[in-house]
Amino acid sequence: MMTIPFGDAKRQYNALREGLDAAVREVFESGWFILGEQTQRFAAEFAQFCGAKFAVGVASGTEAIQLALLACGIAAGDEVITVSNTCVPTVAAMSAIAVVPVFVDIDDATFTLDPTQIEARISPKTRAILPVHLYGQCAEMTPILEIARAHRLMVIEDCAQAHGATYCGRMAGTMGDAAAFSFYPSKNLGAFGDAGMVVTNQEQIAQNVRLLRNYGQTTRYVHCIKGYNSRMDELQAALLRAKLPHLNAWNARRREIAHRYHAAFAPFGLRCPLEGAGRVHCYHLYVLKVPQRDRFQTLLHDKGIQTLIHYPVPVHLQEAYAECRPQGAHLPCTERGAAEILSIPLFAELTDAEVDYIIQAVVETHEQLA
Ligand SMILES: *Cc1c(COP(=O)(O)O)cnc(C)c1O
């Protein structure tokens, strides 16, 4: 029997050890740790990767969302339309600045924001739409951008799971007014700690984020607005610079494994992630939908395979966000989905033998429960 973890940061470290160790040494020897050359260079390199004009490094993905909202002029009491089928930080970033999340349901096939539900939830207080490119696949941006234009709303993309994903040839992070990326260690591009980035094509928004992340300081001890301390540090920037050149190859390997899973699972009627039209999925996660999910998970665990659930409880059903439950309506696709989803291991360093083993175990489990 094999034992296969859900992810394994050590494999990547071992493969890139020399470059990563050298990056750390360079920062230690420079004696400069906050807002320096590494942060600046990584921002420029990441902006280029995305094909965006500006990128500003911040302390985490959550704070990237928070500062992007503020930089777009969204303030306390404003409403932002988003999904409940996401990682809690999408919404935590709003509550941190008293912005009110308004949830719409997801599309059953792609698990991303269902654009047909937006207009019914627009109120005089609505200021923005915040689609989440969940699991590594872009939300359906064409109608989202059209609705935003018609109602004069800002669009902020949550790209925490979508480094390198595309929609009709456009990179995630370049379609809205601003976008937030996370470099949490397990993301497609992960730091060795917390880090995040705001990406935008608008100079004013980039400038606002630069001020907000550094206590609103223009030059030393001169503060023109109230800000925060939310800076990417030099060490994370240097490490991320060493990893960025590998991101395209890692994403290609993730897609290759995902397509092997699809090909093997589809004939057995297993419900696999659907790739929406015109979208290149970067497979941050491979999420199956299985009816007896908890049994399925236990049986895979017994076969040595670690799985996770993204996410077992939608945000609007969390105790902390009870006040955000949509009145009257509920979110059937979100709620039904949460009971069936199961993420199986998918990372670039999985060996072909491990992929074969996972395929066999998933098919066997599916037959056992049929
Ligand atoms: C990881 C994640 C975040 C938060 O990023 P952190 O860097 O952990 O703060 C936000 N939204 C989504 C969808 C995420 O997956």
Side-chain angles (χ1 to χ4, degrees), residues 60-62 65 86-87 89-90 132 158 160-161 182 184 187 194-195 311:
S60 71
T62 308
I65 299 169
T86 184
C87 198
T90 306
V132 180
D158 182 341
Q161 304 190 356
S182 162
Y184 182 80
K187 308 291 186 188
D194 278 314
Y311 298 89

Side-chain angles (χ1 to χ4, degrees), residues 128-156:
I129 305 172
L130 195 144
V132 180
H133 301 326
L134 199 71
Y135 304 153
Q137 162 152 266
C138 289
E140 209 188 321
M141 291 304 286
T142 301
I144 291 173
L145 293 167
E146 274 168 15
I147 294 165
R149 205 172 306 121
H151 296 268
R152 298 174 182 277
L153 305 175
M154 304 293 276
V155 174
I156 293 118

Side-chain angles (χ1 to χ4, degrees), residues 79-81 102 104 115 117-129 144 146-153:
E79 292 181 1
V80 173
I81 293 176
V102 173
V104 297
Q117 309 216 356
I118 295 173
E119 281 184 302
R121 306 297 320 261
I122 293 177
S123 85
K125 288 188 183 167
T126 309
R127 295 291 313 282
I129 305 172
I144 291 173
E146 274 168 15
I147 294 165
R149 205 172 306 121
H151 296 268
R152 298 174 182 277
L153 305 175

